[in-house]
Amino acid sequence: MKTVRSIASLRENLASWRQFGETVALVPTMGNLHEGHMRLVEQARALADRVVVSVFVNPAQFGPGEDFATYPRTLDADRRRLTRADVDILFTPDVDAMYPGGIERSTVVRVPGLSDILCGAARPGHFSGVASVVTRLFTIVMPQWAFFGEKDFQQLLIIRTLVRDLHLPVAIEAVPTAREPDGLALSSRNQYLDDEARGRAPILFRALSACAERLRAGERDFRTLEREGLAAVSAAGAVPDYFAVRTPDALAEPAKTAREFVVLTAARFGRTRLIDNLQVRT
Ligand code: PAF
């Protein structure tokens, strides 16, 4: 596996592969790779001739007071894992390469509506930071496929929308959430939890599962389900941002006749904000 920092040298490698008609998959990450990321890499490896994994902690998607400075950076361990997974290129650009005009003066990609609700309401500017960096990664790498986890469900929909709107020739592949045995969704932020908070964190999965069960049993009073979800998360000592039953295509409020849902939640355990979701078909 090669580690490449510059866009120019990444493009040289890509051009030499394309000369031979080889296909390319991209797995965008912020590093600190865990089993969830490795599932994306495995699926990319199974589909494409060549796999590029980017590790870039994107300052544009962190708000003031968020964890940009302390976000875990573990490049050596990441490199070892990716080498074992037979990745072709680890792309680790620096901030100046990704935002040559400086972040404040750079072109912004924003998906209105979807970016302003749920996590977007709690983290203003977050999704335009995500959309702006993912668009750059797509135009730099020009992969046939790009892989994202369903854990960041709202992010996934925003990326699908920008790909459609900007006519980008990349297929977005979604990979199911990897979980601990007690249901906690894998996340780099889980390591911020102390033992006590780690013990409480599976409430997110339990509350989502209980809501999914009630939807499958025919409950269609979404307000009541949301209130029950919020109460369960609060009772476990977390501070919920939201607990919402939505449509899986647009995150809109579902009709009573709907058969497909996504239930999403975000909550703070002390200073650590965790998110999770479950898709439900009835
Ligand atoms: O999901 C993530 O890790 C990030 O939001 C992404 C997609 C790599 C963009 O920085």
Side-chain angles (χ1 to χ4, degrees):
M1 184 181 75
K2 282 190 196 166
T3 302
V4 173
R5 283 184 74 76
S6 89
I7 294 171
S9 94
L10 177 68
R11 285 201 161 134
E12 276 171 27
N13 283 277
L14 292 163
S16 72
W17 296 340
R18 291 208 169 97
Q19 258 187 344
F20 299 103
E22 292 180 318
T23 56
V24 177
L26 171 67
V27 183
T29 81
M30 298 206 300
N32 194 238
L33 303 178
H34 51 64
E35 188 48 38
H37 296 110
M38 298 318 289
R39 291 197 192 166
L40 309 184
V41 172
E42 275 159 31
Q43 296 209 13
R45 181 72 285 168
L47 200 57
D49 298 319
R50 299 288 186 171
V51 176
V52 176
V53 176
S54 59
V55 169
F56 179 65
V57 184
N58 171 33
Q61 69 189 75
F62 290 81
E66 291 190 350
D67 55 345
F68 173 67
T70 55
Y71 196 85
R73 289 156 170 89
T74 53
L75 194 58
D76 287 340
D78 293 346
R79 192 182 283 117
R80 284 194 293 274
R81 281 195 99 144
L82 295 173
T83 304
R84 283 199 299 273
D86 201 21
V87 165
D88 294 280
I89 287 188
L90 165 59
F91 177 47
T92 58
D94 60 21
V95 174
D96 291 341
M98 292 301 279
Y99 298 101
I103 293 193
E104 296 307 323
R105 305 174 77 86
S106 289
T107 302
V108 171
V109 178
R110 203 179 105 70
V111 177
L114 266 181
S115 297
D116 305 321
I117 57 174
L118 303 174
C119 280
R123 303 181 70 189
H126 168 67
F127 284 121
S128 61
V130 171
S132 297
V133 80
V134 168
T135 303
R136 282 165 172 73
L137 289 166
F138 288 171
T139 54
I140 292 166
V141 179
M142 294 194 288
Q144 273 88 347
W145 301 279
F147 287 76
F148 296 89
E150 287 180 348
K151 202 204 87 183
D152 296 287
F153 193 85
Q154 187 172 4
Q155 166 174 287
L156 183 63
L157 289 193
I158 287 168
I159 291 166
R160 286 193 192 285
T161 306
L162 77 84
V163 162
R164 181 200 67 191
D165 291 352
L166 300 177
H167 307 280
L168 299 178
V170 51
I172 302 303
E173 302 290 332
V175 179
T177 303
R179 298 183 180 280
E180 299 284 2
D182 61 9
L184 179 65
L186 296 195
S187 163
S188 298
R189 291 191 169 101
N190 291 352
Q191 63 199 269
Y192 298 153
L193 300 168
D194 61 22
D195 287 351
E196 202 265 322
R198 172 64 188 82
R200 290 185 280 122
I203 184 60
L204 297 184
F205 180 66
R206 285 205 300 274
L208 292 169
S209 303
C211 180
E213 209 37 62
R214 302 252 280 136
L215 285 166
R216 281 192 211 100
E219 178 62 76
R220 290 295 180 269
D221 181 348
F222 305 124
R223 289 285 154 277
T224 298
L225 291 173
E226 292 175 352
R227 260 200 312 276
E228 288 173 1
L230 289 171
V233 172
S234 305
V239 180
D241 274 345
Y242 61 81
F243 189 100
V245 181
R246 296 292 167 97
T247 61
D249 53 342
L251 299 182
E253 296 198 7
K256 300 269 184 217
T257 52
R259 308 292 301 271
E260 294 191 8
F261 308 91
V262 57
V263 192
L264 311 100
T265 189
R268 290 167 206 275
F269 296 78
R271 290 168 59 89
T272 306
R273 184 175 185 279
L274 300 181
I275 62 173
D276 201 354
N277 69 83
L278 277 184
Q279 292 176 73
V280 187
R281 284 192 185 81
T282 64

